[in-house]
């Protein structure tokens, strides 16, 4: 007889809450308390491989793990999800990974109606069991800290559900148009289509609706959304973020965002500051202005936090060009050279990330005025072709070895030049310094006006100024050219 009522979600949750404070090894020890030999055998089997969720299913809830698409607790219509969380340096809790809901069919028709979908069936009621991923411990010593029933149909998730419905439709529309090979997590906000398989090449399957093989993918709740669920619905931390979409607004939140921004087009930065009562213009005034246009008092919005959307402002000159390329986080060179593209930081970043580009163009009076905005994520077919080629261009150069040229200027200043591929040799992104001060250590000699924090180690032991990928300004202009044209046509 089971130690819980398998027909009652509340009783299942109450039983699961007894896990709080225990480790996965504690679960095994309790299950095999009268059989030390079997305990040791099972411990060794699970020590370095296998899923922790499977361990809980078999040794705590007493059912065999399976690939059945039905809810784990069928009689209670409840899904079980065992998932890790981590802590940032500032102590903030964060989901370690996305939450996979179920596979997207490659060789069968997909349900076009969200209300009848497998995704909604799975999200109706989930028993979430969260454990702390401590990289300093063996995984069987991870502690289980939170247990809670979660439903996307709950009143507090009402607005989330509308965004998830739209996300589902975006994914389905791409699939039935024969473009499953162009799916990317960056296409959507809360519900994603993540890849499944050890490598992209091995996961390729024939499409039901198209001829080009597509990667195996699964519906999943994005990591950023799960972090919000963890902090708000599970732990109960009070959110400090304002919501963009108000209760009486029925439009999709991206439409609401663009509508509110476009209501201000034509206004200069000075006029916008006056309208939104921003004095002593801070350095990041453009970002503040955007949030004020959206009715957000802080410097983040609930929907942006959940969807991991980043605002980027772009200044366009009178000639429809922008001087600035767009920077992204610094790379670690020694880690970079040992990555493969499909699992690299740059691939994960651009395949998952969505941006809100807000454009300010210089007018005849030499003042920047709001021109427009658009949501954008990098098309996966660009990332996996040109992007991969350019990524490999830099990786191969670092592996082969960077050559430096030390030049002494007339004023006595020392300049260090390198032979990394230049921006002119790329179409999407290039590498360049990601530090205000330069720092080099070449053959034991130091150069530059920075310190060790400004430098990164090369495979041969030399050091150079930290580097990061930058989106080329010419590529950015192509992305926003229609946004510029809209204003010119008025």
């Amino acid at each position: 007889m089971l130690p819980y009522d398998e027909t009652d979600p509340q009783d299942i949750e109450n039983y699961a809450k007894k896990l709080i404070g225990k480790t996965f090894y504690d679960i095994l020890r309790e299950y095999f308390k009268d059989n030390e030999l079997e305990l040791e055998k099972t411990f060794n089997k699970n020590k370095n491989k296998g899923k922790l969720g499977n361990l809980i299913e078999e040794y705590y809830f007493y059912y065999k793990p399976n690939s059945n698409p039905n809810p784990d607790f069928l009689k209670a219509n409840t899904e079980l999800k065992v998932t890790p969380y981590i802590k940032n340096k500032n102590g903030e809790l964060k989901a370690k990974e996305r939450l996979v809901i179920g596979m997207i069919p490659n060789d069968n028709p997909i349900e076009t109606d969200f209300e009848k979908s497998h995704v909604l069936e799975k999200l109706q009621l989930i028993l979430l069991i969260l454990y702390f991923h401590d990289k300093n411990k063996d995984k069987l010593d991870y502690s289980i800290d939170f247990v809670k029933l979660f439903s996307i149909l709950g009143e507090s998730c009402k607005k989330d559900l509308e965004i998830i419905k739209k996300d589902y439709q975006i994914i389905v529309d791409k699939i039935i148009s024969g473009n499953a090979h162009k799916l990317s997590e960056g296409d959507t906000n809360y519900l994603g289509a993540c890849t499944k398989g050890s490598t992209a090449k091995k996961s390729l399957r024939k499409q039901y609706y198209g001829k080009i093989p597509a990667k195996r993918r699964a519906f999943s709740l994005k990591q950023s959304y799960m972090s919000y669920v963890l902090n708000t619905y599970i732990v109960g931390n009070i959110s400090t973020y304002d919501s963009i979409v108000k209760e009486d607004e029925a439009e999709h939140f991206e439409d609401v965002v663009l509508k509110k921004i476009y209501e201000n087009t034509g206004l200069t930065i000075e006029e916008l500051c006056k309208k939104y009562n921003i004095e002593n213009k801070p350095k990041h005034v453009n970002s503040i202005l955007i949030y004020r246009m959206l009715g957000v008092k802080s410097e983040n919005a609930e929907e942006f936090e959940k969807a991991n959307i980043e605002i980027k402002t772009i200044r366009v000159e009178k000639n429809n060009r922008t001087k600035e390329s767009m920077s992204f986080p610094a790379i670690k060179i020694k880690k970079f050279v040992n990555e493969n593209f499909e699992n690299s930081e740059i691939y994960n970043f651009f395949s998952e990330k969505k941006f809100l580009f807000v454009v300010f163009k210089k007018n005849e009076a030499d003042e920047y005025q709001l021109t427009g905005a658009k949501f954008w994520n990098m098309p996966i077919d660009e990332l996996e072709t040109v992007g991969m080629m350019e990524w490999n261009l830099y990786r191969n150069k670092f592996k082969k070895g960077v050559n430096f040229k030390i030049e002494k200027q007339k004023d006595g200043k020392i300049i260090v030049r390198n032979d990394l591929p230049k921006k002119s040799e790329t179409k999407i992104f290039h590498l360049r310094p990601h530090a205000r001060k330069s720092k080099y250590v070449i053959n034991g000699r130091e150069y530059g006006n920075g310190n060790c924090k400004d430098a990164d180690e090369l495979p041969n032991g030399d050091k150079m100024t930290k580097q990061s990928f930058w989106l080329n300004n010419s590529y950015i202009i192509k992305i926003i050219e229609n946004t510029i044209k809209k204003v010119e046509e008025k």
Side-chain angles (χ1 to χ4, degrees):
M1 184 177 174
L2 293 172
Y4 58 90
D5 182 350
E6 62 181 327
T7 68
D8 182 0
Q10 193 60 61
D11 194 62
I12 295 170
E13 181 191 46
N14 291 338
Y15 174 69
K17 282 184 174 178
K18 295 176 184 178
L19 287 168
I20 295 174
K22 292 184 178 180
T23 66
F24 289 89
Y25 183 57
D26 290 335
I27 297 169
L28 289 177
R29 193 158 39 202
E30 178 63 26
Y31 185 90
F32 293 109
K33 58 186 175 184
D34 298 322
N35 193 334
E36 285 290 329
L37 191 63
E38 196 62 33
L39 168 62
E40 191 62 30
K41 183 176 164 184
T42 308
F43 172 82
N44 289 329
K45 181 181 77 174
N46 285 278
K47 190 172 183 180
N48 295 311
K49 61 182 179 179
K51 295 181 179 178
L52 295 177
N54 291 352
L55 186 150
I56 285 184
E57 289 174 333
E58 185 170 356
Y59 302 112
Y60 191 74
F61 287 108
Y62 304 103
Y63 69 84
K64 284 287 184 183
N66 58 72
S67 56
N68 193 316
N70 293 319
D72 295 301
F73 302 104
L74 184 60
K75 293 179 181 178
N77 198 32
T78 301
E79 182 75 6
L80 173 66
K81 292 293 180 184
V82 180
T83 187
Y85 76 95
I86 54 177
K87 290 180 183 177
N88 290 340
K89 290 181 181 178
N90 61 5
E92 182 185 6
L93 305 187
K94 182 180 177 183
K96 184 178 181 292
E97 57 196 37
R98 59 180 73 84
L99 190 75
V100 175
I101 304 302
M103 293 301 299
I104 297 174
N106 273 72
D107 51 358
N108 292 304
I110 190 166
E111 177 57 63
T112 57
D113 185 351
F114 178 77
E115 301 297 333
K116 299 176 183 176
S117 72
H118 185 58
V119 172
L120 181 58
E121 182 186 10
K122 291 275 191 175
L123 291 177
Q124 280 183 15
L125 197 57
I126 300 174
L127 178 64
L128 285 172
I129 296 177
L130 292 108
Y131 62 90
F132 178 55
H133 182 273
D134 187 340
K135 61 185 179 181
N136 297 314
K137 290 183 178 180
D138 182 272
K139 69 177 185 177
L140 290 183
D141 290 323
Y142 292 163
S143 66
I144 298 165
D145 297 334
F146 303 105
V147 172
K148 185 130 184 182
L149 282 169
F150 171 75
S151 174
I152 200 66
L153 300 178
E155 188 61 30
S156 58
C157 295
K158 194 174 178 181
K159 290 191 290 185
D160 295 359
L161 180 59
E162 292 307 310
I163 292 172
I164 287 171
K165 283 181 182 178
K166 178 71 173 177
D167 289 340
Y168 184 82
Q169 198 59 55
I170 290 169
I171 294 168
V172 167
D173 286 349
K174 218 165 198 180
I175 291 171
I176 62 177
S177 67
N179 288 302
H181 58 289
K182 292 185 178 181
L183 277 173
S184 169
E185 287 189 80
D187 293 339
T188 51
N189 294 299
Y190 300 172
L191 181 73
C194 67
T195 54
K196 294 289 286 182
S198 56
T199 65
K201 199 169 183 180
K202 287 183 180 179
S203 78
L204 287 175
R205 296 289 187 277
K206 184 180 181 300
Q207 290 187 58
Y208 180 83
Y209 298 96
K211 296 180 180 179
I212 300 173
K215 296 175 187 175
R216 291 182 69 223
R217 288 184 178 269
F219 287 110
S220 63
L221 292 178
K222 293 190 176 184
Q223 181 185 7
S224 52
Y225 181 73
M226 286 309 300
S227 292
Y228 193 91
V229 168
L230 167 62
N231 284 286
T232 307
Y233 305 134
I234 309 299
V235 179
N237 292 335
I238 297 172
S239 171
T240 57
Y241 302 122
D242 294 326
S243 178
I244 296 169
V245 181
K246 309 308 176 191
E247 293 296 335
D248 58 345
E249 290 177 309
E251 299 168 279
H252 181 55
F253 102 90
E254 288 188 14
D255 297 327
V256 173
V257 168
L258 295 177
K259 182 180 176 182
K260 290 182 177 182
I261 291 174
Y262 272 92
E263 286 172 355
N264 291 277
T265 52
L267 296 179
T268 66
I269 292 174
E270 292 290 342
E271 290 167 336
L272 288 166
C273 285
K274 187 175 180 180
K275 180 177 178 178
Y276 293 102
N277 300 314
I278 297 174
E279 300 176 355
N280 306 320
K281 291 191 299 184
K283 286 183 178 179
H284 59 304
V285 64
N286 289 0
S287 179
I288 295 173
L289 282 171
I290 294 159
Y291 284 117
R292 297 302 177 271
M293 291 179 217
L294 300 178
V296 175
K297 296 174 184 176
S298 63
E299 291 182 36
N300 207 337
E302 181 182 313
E303 292 89 348
F304 287 0
E305 181 74 8
K306 291 176 182 176
N308 193 25
I309 292 171
E310 187 173 340
I311 294 174
K312 289 285 189 180
T313 57
I314 302 167
R315 293 189 178 216
V316 178
E317 303 307 308
K318 292 177 189 175
N319 61 2
N320 285 347
R321 295 184 181 180
T322 180
K323 297 175 183 176
E324 304 161 349
S325 295
M326 191 177 289
S327 68
F328 295 96
I331 64 168
K332 287 285 186 184
I333 296 170
K334 289 177 76 173
K335 181 182 178 185
F336 172 61
V337 298
N338 289 309
E339 289 178 324
N340 59 65
F341 182 67
E342 63 190 29
N343 294 316
S344 68
E345 287 187 5
I346 200 77
Y347 180 85
N348 290 335
F349 184 86
F350 281 113
S351 64
E352 297 172 14
K353 193 79 169 175
K354 180 174 278 194
F355 299 92
L356 173 62
F357 287 159
V358 183
V359 183
F360 292 85
K361 185 181 175 183
K362 188 175 281 188
N363 60 20
E364 293 304 317
D366 283 341
E367 296 176 303
Y368 287 102
Q369 61 185 155
L370 180 63
T371 302
K374 72 176 292 183
F375 285 96
W376 177 84
N377 62 285
M378 188 177 290
I380 201 74
D381 48 347
E382 286 188 14
L383 178 61
E384 293 183 344
T385 53
V386 179
M388 181 172 69
M389 182 181 69
E390 292 174 357
W391 182 88
N392 273 313
L393 192 67
Y394 289 99
R395 178 175 175 265
N396 293 339
K397 181 58 187 170
F398 279 125
K399 291 186 85 168
K400 186 178 178 181
V402 180
N403 297 305
F404 297 101
K405 187 176 181 182
I406 317 298
E407 295 182 359
K408 189 172 184 179
Q409 308 290 86
K410 289 181 180 179
D411 60 2
K413 187 179 179 181
I414 300 293
I415 300 291
V416 180
R417 304 192 186 280
N418 64 65
D419 63 347
L420 285 173
K422 296 178 175 61
K423 184 179 76 170
S424 58
E425 298 174 53
T426 65
K427 293 180 179 179
I428 294 181
F429 42 57
H430 63 282
L431 266 182
R432 74 182 214 222
H434 189 95
R436 291 185 178 180
K437 295 182 178 181
S438 65
K439 181 65 178 179
Y440 297 87
V441 180
I442 304 167
N443 295 325
R445 293 192 64 180
E446 296 189 16
Y447 304 91
N449 58 352
N451 56 42
C452 58
K453 291 182 180 179
D454 299 307
D456 191 19
E457 189 173 357
L458 292 160
N460 69 350
D462 286 346
K463 292 182 180 180
M464 71 181 299
T465 308
K466 284 183 177 179
Q467 303 286 308
S468 71
F469 279 98
W470 295 62
L471 279 188
N472 294 359
N473 51 358
S474 55
Y475 181 69
I476 294 168
I477 283 295
K478 287 181 181 178
I479 295 167
I480 61 169
E481 61 184 353
N482 288 333
T483 306
I484 300 170
K485 282 179 183 176
K486 281 181 185 178
V487 174
E488 292 176 341
E489 290 168 357
K490 285 184 179 180

